[in-house]
Amino acid sequence: MRRITATAVTAAAVLGWGEWLNWRWSRMLVGDRGGGTEAVVVLGYRNPQGRANLVNRRRVRAGLRSIGSPAGGAHGKRVVFSGGAVGGATSEARIMADYARKELGFDGPVVLEERSRTTWENVTHVIPLIEDVDRIKIVSQPAHALKARAYLRRQRPDLAERLVRANDYRPGEWPAAKPLLALYGLWSLRTLRAYERRLSR
């Protein structure tokens, strides 16, 4: 009985740790800027096949729910799918856009960025597509989105001031995966500067 209880406590602690880290990352390097125009940037994941894989499907759904439904509806909002043909013949951006339109029925404004092969390039290539909006949301797994926000801050500090929270973190969503995402996130965020890992607005 004690062994079972200790195992349960350990499992709960690991799940809680993963949940907390992902929650924390989703709230870093974002503000509460207002404005009527908005771009939701969805970062792609390696996708060898022609249909969206599990990770890209999850990111697309998070991107679409990040649009929200303010009083003005979807007017002045766009979704930017970003990612080149890294793992297959079709770009990640196009695969995600097809999933959004054909399988989720999304009919709002969509822009494709199909050249990027790294997160740094994602940010570089979407900048011309988002310079004119008041609010910017970057969607991925929380650690990956944080890295992209840090990269935007390095490349265009003025645009980084327009970053606001996306809806890519939800409590209890993918609970078993979050500890693994947290471990991978700690590894991938090691390249960020110390102040970028601490800074939040």
Side-chain angles (χ1 to χ4, degrees), residues 5-166:
T5 301
T7 301
V9 169
T10 300
V14 169
L15 292 174
W17 171 78
E19 196 76 47
W20 175 77
L21 264 185
N22 282 277
W23 171 86
R24 181 172 178 266
W25 288 331
S26 73
R27 285 159 171 75
M28 295 178 69
L29 298 183
V30 293
D32 56 359
R33 182 185 175 101
T37 57
E38 182 176 283
V40 177
V41 179
V42 184
L43 305 179
Y45 180 77
R46 182 181 294 271
N47 205 127
Q49 64 271 40
R51 293 187 63 188
N53 59 29
L54 180 65
V55 174
N56 282 325
R57 293 199 301 271
R58 186 263 172 197
R59 293 185 185 185
V60 171
R61 291 194 299 270
L64 298 188
R65 75 191 185 204
S66 294
I67 298 170
S69 55
H75 179 71
K77 300 177 184 295
R78 77 190 67 135
V79 179
V80 180
F81 292 110
S82 176
V86 178
T90 307
S91 73
E92 296 162 1
R94 189 166 299 278
I95 288 171
M96 292 190 294
D98 286 347
Y99 176 70
R101 291 204 181 284
K102 296 176 183 178
E103 299 193 43
L104 300 182
F106 180 68
D107 61 358
V110 166
V111 181
L112 302 186
E113 182 289 295
E114 301 182 88
R115 295 183 291 162
S116 300
R117 302 182 66 83
T118 66
T119 305
W120 183 267
E121 290 180 2
N122 285 133
V123 173
T124 300
H125 295 319
V126 301
I127 283 174
L129 308 176
I130 62 176
E131 287 181 299
D132 60 328
V133 301
D134 300 314
R135 293 157 48 90
I136 300 167
K137 297 176 179 178
I138 297 180
V139 174
S140 184
Q141 274 69 41
H144 187 216
L146 171 58
K147 178 185 280 191
R149 292 195 295 271
Y151 286 173
L152 182 60
R153 193 176 185 86
R154 293 183 196 178
Q155 294 185 34
R156 286 289 300 273
D158 59 317
L159 292 183
E161 293 298 319
R162 307 179 195 177
L163 286 166
V164 297
R165 278 188 58 207

